[in-house]
Amino acid sequence: MKQVDTIAIIDFGSQYTMLIARRIRELNVYSIILSPFEKNLKEKLGAENIKGIILSGGPKSVYERDAPKIKKEILLSIKKPFLGICYGEQLIAYLLGGKVLKSKKREYGFALFKRKRESILFKDTPDEFQVWMSHGDYVEKLPKGFIATGCTENTPFASIENKKKNIYAVQFHPEVYHTKHGKKIISNFIFKICNAKRNWKLKDFIGEKIREIKEKVKDEYVFCALSGGVDSSVLAFLINRAVPDKFFPIFVDTGLMKKGEKERVKRIFKDFKNLKIIEAEKEFLKALKGVNDPEEKRRIIGNLFFKVFEREAEKICGKKEDLGFLAQGTLYPDLIESRSYRGPSSKIKTHHNVGGVPERHPFKLLEPFKELFKDEVRKIGKKMGISDEIIKRHPFPGPGMAVRIIGEINMEKLRIIKKADLIVEEEIKKAGLYDKLWQAFPVLLPVKSVGVMGDERTYEYTIAVRAVRSVDGMTAEWAEIPYKIMDRIARRIIGEIKGVNRVVYDITSKPPGTIEWE
C-alpha cells in the first residue's frame, strides 16, 4: 500500500478496538491495529508514517499479573502523541507512577462528563456532554506531570494529560456512538495533536485489494462460500474482478437460508462463469437432529458446511493438493466476537465463517474484509456498481435460521420461521422502514402458550420479533416500530402461520444483549 499518514492502535482486548480504527478511517486517515505482544513493537511504532498511537480499552485490570502491557520505555522514548482509552488511561497511569484501584462501584453506561480546564483534546466541544463508560477500575493517583482535564460524578480523572510529553487519556469510550462529540475528540487528537493528513480513502482500498488478490493468488484456484448476503456477495464481485477464470463461488443450500434464497443467488450471479449450487438440506437436518445447545448447533453447522464445501471444491480441482484459496467475507465484528484477534479480547460466540473453519484444512485463507465493518463493505459495493438489492440487504447470520430457532431444529420449525421471516420483511419494506433499520427478523421460541382461535383453545408456539438500529453492529438500539406496523406483523404471523398463536417484541439493546438471540 502507498505510504500514508497512519495512526497505530494497540489492542488490549477491547470489544470496541476496531471502532477506533473505524472512526479514524471515517476521517480519511489510515489506521493499523497492533498487539501489545507484537514483535519489534517499538520499531513499528517508530516508523515515519506513524503519526500517533492509541492505547485501546480491555477486559483486564492493569495490576493483574497476566494483564497485557507495553513497556514503559515505549511511552517515554517514542516521541509521538499517545491517547489512552479506558484501560489505556489506566495503563498510562500505572506505567508512569500513578495508582490504579478497583472501583467500589463499577461505572457502566451513560455518564455526564464535565470539563475541568481547557484542553486541545476537547477543542470545540461543550463544557458538559454525555459519555459512555465501561470500567471496574479507576485512576486514584495521577503520575507526575499529569493534570486532570475532566471528570464525571464517579470518576475524578475522567480525562488526563501531560502536554509536555504529548500523552492524553480518557476513561470513557469516545469511539462508540453513545459518546456525544466522541468523533470530534478523536479528530482533535489526529489533526490538532498528531498533525496527520487526510490522505486515505475507501476507494483506494478496492484497487489495493484487487492488486493484492492477483499477486497472492497467481494461477491458483479461489473458492468462495457464497451465501447471498452483503459480505460474501461483495467479496464475490471483488474476486471475480481480480481473477475471474480461477474463481469458483459455491452456494451450499443448507435448508437453513431464507425462503427463495437459492433462486435469488442463481439470478444475481448468473454471469459468473463458475457458479456452483450444492443441495445439502438433508445432510444438515440429519446432523442437527436432537441438538439444542446454540454453540453445538453452530459447531455442527460450521464443521458440516466446511466438509461439504471441501468435498465440492475437490471435485473441481481433482485433488486436495490443488485446492488453493478459500475466500471468506469475514468482517471485524465476526473476528472480535469469536476470538482474540490481535489483542486478548473475550470470546462472545462462535461465528460461522470463523468457527466453521477447522484448524487444519487444505486451503489458504483469503479474507480481504477482515478489518472492515459491514457498512464499509456496503460502501465498497456501491463504489463497485453493485445493485442496492445486494448492498442494502440486512445482515443474516452464517448459521442461518438455526440461530433464529431456539432449541432443536426440524422441518416444521423451519417452515414456521421462514414464513414469519418473509412476513416481517414484507411489512417492514411496505412501511418504508427497511433501509432505516440494521436488522428486523423473527425468532421462534421453544415456548408454547394458551390461545383462543376460532372459539377453540390452542397451545402453540411464540414468535419474538426483533428490530434494531445500528451503524456497525458493534452496538445497537432497539427500534421503536409504530404500533400499527407491529399490529399488522402480529396479525399476519398468527393468521397465516399454522402453529403460532402469540407474537412478542424484543426491546433489548446491545449491550447488554446481542442482536441475534443465539
Side-chain angles (χ1 to χ4, degrees):
M1 193 181 82
K2 67 180 181 179
Q3 193 83 336
V4 294
D5 286 1
T6 300
I7 302 296
I9 303 159
I10 301 179
D11 178 18
F12 293 100
S14 171
Q15 299 297 330
Y16 304 132
T17 295
M18 195 56 192
L19 282 181
I20 304 169
R22 161 72 189 286
R23 299 294 170 254
I24 296 167
R25 289 202 296 268
E26 285 175 347
L27 296 166
N28 298 128
V29 178
Y30 192 63
S31 61
I32 58 170
I33 299 175
L34 301 173
S35 165
F37 314 116
E38 200 102 18
K39 288 183 179 179
N40 305 315
L41 179 61
K42 184 179 175 182
E43 288 76 9
K44 290 177 181 178
L45 295 175
E48 186 181 347
N49 64 311
I50 303 296
K51 300 302 178 184
I53 300 157
I54 294 178
L55 308 183
S56 84
K60 293 283 188 179
S61 295
V62 294
Y63 45 76
E64 292 176 354
R65 182 176 295 179
D66 63 343
K69 301 179 181 72
I70 55 172
K71 292 180 179 178
K72 178 180 177 179
E73 65 174 295
I74 287 178
L75 282 172
L76 297 178
S77 64
I78 296 177
K79 304 301 181 184
K80 295 181 181 182
F82 282 82
L83 172 64
I85 294 175
C86 193
Y87 178 92
E89 177 187 281
Q90 295 161 16
L91 184 61
I92 287 169
Y94 179 85
L95 291 175
L96 298 182
K99 186 180 288 187
V100 178
L101 297 176
K102 190 174 187 63
S103 301
K104 291 181 180 178
K105 181 182 178 183
R106 186 184 177 197
E107 195 169 27
Y108 179 81
F110 295 114
L112 182 64
F113 174 80
K114 297 180 180 181
R115 200 166 63 206
K116 296 172 73 171
R117 51 172 55 88
E118 291 300 314
S119 168
I120 193 168
L121 193 64
F122 301 111
K123 188 171 177 59
D124 298 324
T125 65
D127 291 338
E128 296 184 3
F129 55 90
Q130 173 186 288
V131 297
W132 178 261
M133 290 283 197
S134 181
H135 64 100
D137 297 326
Y138 74 102
V139 176
E140 188 198 48
K141 177 187 173 186
L142 291 181
K144 186 178 178 181
F146 280 78
I147 58 170
T149 56
C151 64
T152 67
E153 184 179 353
N154 296 319
T155 306
F157 303 132
S159 64
I160 63 174
E161 67 181 55
N162 184 326
K163 197 172 181 181
K164 187 177 179 181
K165 292 186 184 297
N166 233 358
I167 299 176
Y168 301 78
V170 293
Q171 184 60 69
F172 57 88
H173 287 272
E175 71 273 26
V176 302
Y177 279 97
H178 301 70
T179 293
K180 303 295 184 185
H181 311 289
K183 192 171 181 179
K184 182 63 181 172
I185 293 167
I186 293 171
S187 173
N188 285 339
F189 176 71
I190 293 169
F191 300 118
K192 297 186 183 303
I193 296 172
C194 300
N195 295 314
K197 296 184 180 68
R198 299 176 187 265
N199 54 8
W200 184 81
K201 294 181 174 63
L202 199 57
K203 68 178 182 181
D204 298 336
F205 178 92
I206 299 169
E208 285 159 11
K209 285 300 173 184
I210 289 174
R211 286 192 296 274
E212 184 183 299
I213 291 166
K214 285 180 178 179
E215 289 171 8
K216 195 170 185 179
V217 169
K218 294 185 172 64
D219 293 324
E220 295 190 71
Y221 288 96
V222 184
F223 296 94
C224 172
L226 187 62
S227 70
V230 176
D231 313 325
S232 69
S233 296
V234 174
L235 176 67
F237 277 97
L238 182 73
I239 297 175
N240 199 55
R241 205 177 269 193
V243 287
D245 294 331
K246 285 289 187 177
F247 178 48
F248 288 81
I250 298 175
F251 176 81
V252 178
D253 185 2
T254 63
L256 305 171
M257 313 303 283
K258 283 174 168 283
K259 191 176 178 65
E261 191 66 15
K262 179 173 63 177
E263 293 71 25
R264 180 180 170 276
V265 166
K266 283 181 180 178
R267 173 175 55 80
I268 289 172
F269 299 96
K270 64 182 185 300
D271 295 331
F272 282 51
K273 61 193 294 186
N274 298 322
L275 175 66
K276 304 292 179 186
I277 306 288
I278 309 302
E279 306 286 351
E281 182 180 52
K282 290 181 181 178
E283 284 185 76
F284 279 85
L285 287 179
K286 182 179 178 182
L288 290 166
K289 188 175 181 180
V291 179
N292 289 280
D293 181 73
E295 278 295 294
E296 182 65 7
K297 285 195 290 187
R298 285 176 178 269
R299 187 192 65 79
I300 289 170
I301 292 167
N303 289 344
L304 180 55
F305 185 94
F306 198 83
K307 180 182 175 182
V308 172
F309 185 87
E310 185 181 335
R311 180 181 71 207
E312 297 303 322
E314 197 171 333
K315 287 179 185 177
I316 294 166
C317 294
K319 54 183 179 178
K320 191 171 286 189
E321 295 75 21
D322 294 335
L323 281 174
F325 288 87
L326 168 62
Q328 292 197 122
T330 309
L331 303 184
Y332 184 78
D334 298 336
L335 290 160
I336 202 67
E337 289 191 347
S338 301
R339 64 176 181 229
S340 174
Y341 177 37
R342 294 182 184 273
S345 59
S346 300
K347 175 178 173 177
I348 295 175
K349 60 186 176 183
T350 302
H351 276 260
H352 172 54
N353 55 350
V354 177
V357 179
E359 286 185 17
R360 294 185 179 182
H361 59 81
F363 295 98
K364 289 172 276 190
L365 289 183
L366 192 64
E367 299 175 307
F369 299 155
K370 68 182 179 182
E371 293 190 346
L372 297 181
F373 287 83
K374 190 172 289 288
D375 66 306
E376 292 178 309
V377 173
R378 286 194 172 108
K379 288 175 185 175
I380 287 170
K382 191 77 172 175
K383 289 179 184 296
M384 291 176 66
I386 299 172
S387 71
D388 283 354
E389 180 186 359
I390 295 171
I391 63 175
K392 289 190 175 181
R393 202 174 196 210
H394 284 184
F396 187 70
M401 296 300 181
V403 299
R404 293 180 180 173
I405 296 173
I406 310 302
E408 185 183 0
I409 297 162
N410 57 41
M411 287 298 291
E412 173 66 5
K413 291 179 180 178
L414 281 169
R415 176 191 65 80
I416 291 172
I417 196 65
K418 287 184 180 184
K419 180 62 177 173
D421 177 72
L422 191 64
I423 290 170
V424 171
E425 188 170 309
E426 284 176 352
E427 291 300 329
I428 291 295
K429 284 181 175 177
K430 194 185 298 181
L433 293 175
Y434 189 84
D435 292 344
K436 298 175 183 177
L437 298 173
W438 178 260
Q439 275 176 274
F441 58 88
V443 179
L444 178 59
L445 306 184
V447 175
K448 287 189 174 184
S449 63
V450 174
V452 179
M453 298 174 74
D455 295 326
E456 292 184 357
R457 180 184 183 276
T458 61
Y459 189 63
E460 295 177 339
Y461 285 113
T462 299
I463 288 282
V465 175
R466 177 88 159 128
V468 298
R469 300 183 193 276
S470 180
V471 174
D472 43 49
M474 294 297 281
T475 60
E477 299 293 336
W478 64 275
E480 297 183 37
I481 304 296
Y483 290 145
K484 286 184 178 179
I485 298 166
M486 290 304 306
D487 181 57
R488 281 201 300 271
I489 289 171
R491 287 177 185 274
R492 284 195 62 191
I493 287 174
I494 293 169
E496 297 176 27
I497 305 176
K498 185 180 179 181
V500 179
N501 69 354
R502 192 177 297 274
V503 175
V504 298
Y505 190 58
D506 179 0
I507 59 168
T508 312
S509 294
K510 176 187 178 180
T514 53
I515 294 176
E516 298 287 349
W517 278 43
E518 284 199 345

